[in-house]
Short mmCIF file of all heavy atoms in Angstrom, two decimals:
data_model
loop_
_atom_site.label_atom_id
_atom_site.label_comp_id
_atom_site.label_asym_id
_atom_site.label_seq_id
_atom_site.Cartn_x
_atom_site.Cartn_y
_atom_site.Cartn_z
N GLN W 76 -12.64 54.66 14.73
CA GLN W 76 -13.68 54.48 13.72
C GLN W 76 -13.30 55.31 12.50
O GLN W 76 -13.04 56.51 12.63
CB GLN W 76 -15.04 54.91 14.27
CG GLN W 76 -15.52 54.11 15.46
CD GLN W 76 -16.90 54.53 15.89
OE1 GLN W 76 -17.79 54.74 15.06
NE2 GLN W 76 -17.10 54.66 17.20
N THR W 77 -13.27 54.71 11.36
CA THR W 77 -12.88 55.43 10.15
C THR W 77 -13.93 55.24 9.05
O THR W 77 -14.64 54.23 9.02
CB THR W 77 -11.52 54.96 9.63
OG1 THR W 77 -11.57 53.55 9.34
CG2 THR W 77 -10.42 55.22 10.65
N GLN W 78 -14.00 56.22 8.18
CA GLN W 78 -14.84 56.18 6.99
C GLN W 78 -14.03 56.70 5.81
O GLN W 78 -12.92 57.22 5.98
CB GLN W 78 -16.10 57.04 7.19
CG GLN W 78 -16.99 56.60 8.33
CD GLN W 78 -17.66 55.26 8.12
OE1 GLN W 78 -17.71 54.76 6.98
NE2 GLN W 78 -18.17 54.67 9.19
N GLN W 79 -14.61 56.55 4.62
CA GLN W 79 -13.97 57.09 3.42
C GLN W 79 -14.48 58.51 3.17
O GLN W 79 -15.61 58.85 3.52
CB GLN W 79 -14.28 56.20 2.21
CG GLN W 79 -13.76 54.77 2.35
CD GLN W 79 -12.26 54.72 2.52
OE1 GLN W 79 -11.52 55.37 1.78
NE2 GLN W 79 -11.79 53.95 3.50
N GLY W 80 -13.63 59.31 2.56
CA GLY W 80 -14.01 60.68 2.25
C GLY W 80 -13.38 61.15 0.95
O GLY W 80 -12.59 60.43 0.33
N LYS W 81 -13.73 62.35 0.53
CA LYS W 81 -13.20 62.93 -0.70
C LYS W 81 -13.06 64.43 -0.53
O LYS W 81 -13.94 65.09 0.02
CB LYS W 81 -14.14 62.62 -1.86
CG LYS W 81 -13.66 63.13 -3.21
CD LYS W 81 -14.67 62.79 -4.30
CE LYS W 81 -14.21 63.32 -5.65
NZ LYS W 81 -15.18 63.00 -6.72
N VAL W 82 -11.93 64.96 -1.00
CA VAL W 82 -11.70 66.41 -0.94
C VAL W 82 -12.53 67.07 -2.03
O VAL W 82 -12.34 66.81 -3.22
CB VAL W 82 -10.21 66.73 -1.13
CG1 VAL W 82 -9.98 68.24 -1.09
CG2 VAL W 82 -9.36 66.05 -0.06
N VAL W 83 -13.47 67.92 -1.61
CA VAL W 83 -14.37 68.57 -2.56
C VAL W 83 -13.71 69.78 -3.20
O VAL W 83 -13.72 69.96 -4.42
CB VAL W 83 -15.68 68.99 -1.86
CG1 VAL W 83 -16.60 69.71 -2.84
CG2 VAL W 83 -16.38 67.77 -1.27
N ASN W 84 -13.12 70.64 -2.39
CA ASN W 84 -12.40 71.80 -2.94
C ASN W 84 -11.39 72.29 -1.90
O ASN W 84 -11.50 71.98 -0.70
CB ASN W 84 -13.36 72.92 -3.34
CG ASN W 84 -13.98 73.56 -2.12
OD1 ASN W 84 -14.88 72.97 -1.50
ND2 ASN W 84 -13.53 74.76 -1.76
N ILE W 85 -10.40 73.05 -2.38
CA ILE W 85 -9.35 73.58 -1.52
C ILE W 85 -9.20 75.07 -1.79
O ILE W 85 -9.10 75.50 -2.94
CB ILE W 85 -8.01 72.85 -1.76
CG1 ILE W 85 -8.11 71.39 -1.31
CG2 ILE W 85 -6.87 73.54 -1.01
CD1 ILE W 85 -6.83 70.59 -1.53
N ASP W 86 -9.16 75.85 -0.71
CA ASP W 86 -8.91 77.28 -0.79
C ASP W 86 -7.67 77.61 0.02
O ASP W 86 -7.38 76.96 1.03
CB ASP W 86 -10.11 78.08 -0.25
CG ASP W 86 -11.37 77.87 -1.07
OD1 ASP W 86 -11.25 77.80 -2.32
OD2 ASP W 86 -12.46 77.75 -0.47
N LYS W 87 -6.94 78.63 -0.41
CA LYS W 87 -5.78 79.10 0.33
C LYS W 87 -6.18 80.26 1.22
O LYS W 87 -6.83 81.20 0.77
CB LYS W 87 -4.67 79.50 -0.63
CG LYS W 87 -4.05 78.33 -1.36
CD LYS W 87 -2.86 78.74 -2.21
CE LYS W 87 -2.23 77.53 -2.90
NZ LYS W 87 -1.04 77.91 -3.71
N VAL W 88 -5.78 80.16 2.51
CA VAL W 88 -6.14 81.20 3.48
C VAL W 88 -4.91 81.55 4.31
O VAL W 88 -3.93 80.80 4.34
CB VAL W 88 -7.27 80.71 4.41
CG1 VAL W 88 -8.56 80.48 3.63
CG2 VAL W 88 -6.87 79.45 5.14
N ASP W 89 -4.98 82.69 4.97
CA ASP W 89 -3.90 83.11 5.85
C ASP W 89 -3.91 82.23 7.10
O ASP W 89 -4.94 82.06 7.76
CB ASP W 89 -4.09 84.57 6.24
CG ASP W 89 -2.86 85.14 6.94
OD1 ASP W 89 -2.02 84.34 7.39
OD2 ASP W 89 -2.75 86.38 7.04
N CYS W 90 -2.74 81.66 7.42
CA CYS W 90 -2.66 80.75 8.57
C CYS W 90 -3.04 81.45 9.88
O CYS W 90 -3.55 80.81 10.81
CB CYS W 90 -1.25 80.17 8.69
SG CYS W 90 -0.82 79.00 7.38
#
Side-chain angles (χ1 to χ4, degrees):
Q76 298 183 43
T77 59
Q78 299 293 344
Q79 299 299 313
K81 182 181 179 181
V82 179
V83 178
N84 70 285
I85 293 179
D86 297 320
K87 291 185 178 182
V88 295
D89 190 344
C90 290

